[in-house]
Amino acid sequence: SVCPSVYLSVSLPLSLSLSFCMVCSFLFQWMPNHRGFANGVVVAGFGAGALIFDQVQTFYINPHNFKPVPNGTTHCSSHTTAQKYFVEDEVLDRVPHCFLLLGLVYAVMQVIGVLFISNPPDGHEHRYARLTDQDVDEDNMTGSFSKPEENVGSINSHVQHQLECTMCCFSCSCGNIGQPKGDTTTSLFGYDLSPRQVLRTWTFYIVWFTFLVNGLAVVFVATLYKTFGQTFIADDHFLAIVGTVASPFNAVARIMWGHIADKTSYKVAMLSMTSVSTGLLLTFYFTSSMGKGAFALWVALLFLCFGGNFSLFPYATSVTFGTKSVGANYGLVFTSQVVSGVLAATLASSLICSIGYSGIIPLCAGFQFVGVLLTLLYPETRSIGVS
């Protein structure tokens, strides 16, 4: 029914946002110069969870590999589709117990993980900056780095202030003038923004709506790829293996796209990811006539793209709005996933009935293409301000 789906679509994003925001806040303090890569490594663990738990769930709930059977045919004005369900009591009775078992396992793992979380020692960010960035941006610097006092007589007080800021490794609050290389500027705006200030910027809404449309594509594909596969693959264990194979792709994607963002920018990484996933989704439906291998390959490649969302958007939040309030700011960005989850949960059944998979999959490609267009609007310069 719709109610459990809506409940899960709201509670899951809320719980994820609480955990992700707190982890990101600690993470960016420990590794301020490599935010994309560091965040990608951490959330890769989240993506790799299916590598283990897809198999655990399938073999716990359906150890005898029962096949789903058509349980009535839904007739719509423009589309007719037969929905398949598991009807064996042995399978159905195990589902509630599986939730309890997984909840207990996750709780134990999370408590152990939380015990190891701590803030970095005082001055860690400055020491980290000195260790990882020895070069100075020549476009913003004038004079000798080792003896700036020798050049004070020949430069104005503004440039002298740049030197002092660089020498003290950003300990003053002058903004991003004279920053070393390595993306250590506070934000795209030149200073850290509070959540209230973030909501007054149009850049936030570009990022928010990009995450929304990307999230719609992710939710639809992640929840429906298996039922789509069941329309031409009658092997539940094989479909579980497809999810397991896609899991390491999902995990690697978070590290890969985060690293790409570190080396290039959020805009370049997001444009690349959404463009590739758009092409994959436009051709995904045709795997129904290409065989099981092609279906598995497309699912893996899609998750290789989709996983990047969960490293790129925390990265975008930190480099756009600063790290001081990154937890709260990313929480604002992540509210888009509550909206996308509710929309996907309420629309999935009606869309399957009305347009079928031949319509839903291109629709997801359309969502990703909108993500491409929104990313093109993301600013590349720092000439933006709070309204």
Side-chain angles (χ1 to χ4, degrees):
S1 64
V2 174
C3 289
S5 299
V6 173
Y7 169 75
L8 289 174
S9 65
V10 173
S11 61
L12 182 59
L14 284 176
S15 60
L16 290 178
S17 66
L18 290 173
S19 58
F20 277 174
C21 293
M22 294 183 64
V23 171
C24 289
S25 179
F26 289 113
L27 183 65
F28 295 150
Q29 294 178 51
W30 278 101
M31 302 185 68
N33 289 23
H34 300 89
R35 304 173 200 176
F37 175 75
N39 182 70
V41 171
V42 172
V43 296
F46 175 73
L51 182 64
I52 299 173
F53 289 103
D54 266 10
Q55 294 297 316
V56 171
Q57 294 172 37
T58 299
F59 283 96
Y60 179 82
I61 295 175
N62 188 13
H64 302 298
N65 198 20
F66 290 114
K67 307 296 187 294
V69 297
N71 189 20
T73 301
T74 303
H75 299 279
C76 306
S77 58
S78 60
H79 187 78
T80 301
T81 181
Q83 298 297 309
K84 292 185 177 182
Y85 299 91
F86 292 98
V87 296
E88 291 79 7
D89 290 338
E90 179 182 347
V91 172
L92 301 179
D93 290 342
R94 287 175 174 263
V95 173
H97 297 95
C98 186
F99 278 106
L100 294 174
L101 175 64
L102 292 175
L104 178 61
V105 172
Y106 294 157
V108 172
M109 295 174 65
Q110 290 171 17
V111 169
I112 294 174
V114 167
L115 293 176
F116 288 92
I117 293 179
S118 65
N119 285 317
D122 293 339
H124 169 78
E125 184 172 352
H126 299 158
R127 290 193 296 270
Y128 184 88
R130 287 196 293 270
L131 288 172
T132 57
D133 292 292
Q134 299 298 327
D135 296 328
V136 179
D137 189 342
E138 295 178 357
D139 292 334
N140 292 330
M141 289 298 300
T142 303
S144 170
F145 191 45
S146 58
K147 294 183 178 181
E149 65 276 5
E150 296 177 357
N151 300 295
V152 171
S154 61
I155 58 177
N156 59 36
S157 59
H158 177 67
V159 176
Q160 180 183 358
H161 187 55
Q162 293 181 27
L163 285 169
E164 291 170 351
C165 290
T166 306
M167 292 295 288
C168 70
C169 291
F170 331 118
S171 60
C172 58
S173 59
C174 60
N176 59 9
I177 299 173
Q179 297 275 12
K181 296 176 181 179
D183 194 28
T184 57
T185 53
T186 54
S187 75
L188 191 68
F189 292 81
Y191 55 91
D192 292 310
L193 275 67
S194 67
R196 180 174 295 182
Q197 291 174 313
V198 165
L199 291 173
R200 292 164 54 197
T201 66
W202 57 269
T203 312
F204 166 77
Y205 296 98
I206 292 176
V207 175
W208 193 90
F209 278 104
T210 304
F211 205 1
L212 173 67
V213 293
N214 286 7
L216 284 170
V218 171
V219 172
F220 273 118
V221 173
T223 56
L224 296 178
Y225 83 86
K226 187 173 181 178
T227 57
F228 169 59
Q230 287 173 346
T231 61
F232 59 95
I233 299 174
D235 187 343
D236 192 44
H237 282 187
F238 174 81
L239 293 172
I241 291 173
V242 170
T244 301
V245 171
S247 178
F249 283 82
N250 189 11
V252 170
R254 300 169 189 229
I255 301 173
M256 179 185 75
W257 290 113
H259 183 66
I260 291 173
D262 278 333
K263 294 298 183 181
T264 57
S265 68
Y266 159 76
K267 188 168 187 174
V268 170
M270 183 58 69
L271 281 174
S272 302
M273 187 194 75
T274 50
S275 298
V276 173
S277 59
T278 299
L280 288 170
L281 284 168
L282 286 173
T283 54
F284 183 42
Y285 181 77
F286 300 105
T287 60
S288 58
S289 59
M290 296 165 62
K292 297 164 64 173
F295 172 78
L297 177 61
W298 251 253
V299 171
L301 293 177
L302 282 169
F303 278 94
L304 185 63
C305 290
F306 289 160
N309 288 288
F310 300 98
S311 60
L312 291 181
F313 283 106
Y315 175 84
T317 303
S318 68
V319 300
T320 306
F321 308 118
T323 58
K324 184 177 181 180
S325 302
V326 67
N329 291 339
Y330 183 56
L332 293 175
V333 173
F334 207 88
T335 57
S336 61
Q337 298 310 285
V338 178
V339 178
S340 64
V342 172
L343 287 175
T346 54
L347 295 177
S349 297
S350 60
L351 287 176
I352 290 175
C353 175
S354 59
I355 62 177
Y357 293 109
S358 61
I360 290 179
I361 295 174
L363 178 64
C364 291
F367 290 144
Q368 287 290 264
F369 184 68
V370 173
V372 173
L373 299 179
L374 288 170
T375 304
L376 289 172
L377 298 176
Y378 181 85
E380 292 186 280
T381 66
R382 296 192 178 94
S383 57
I384 49 180
V386 181
S387 60

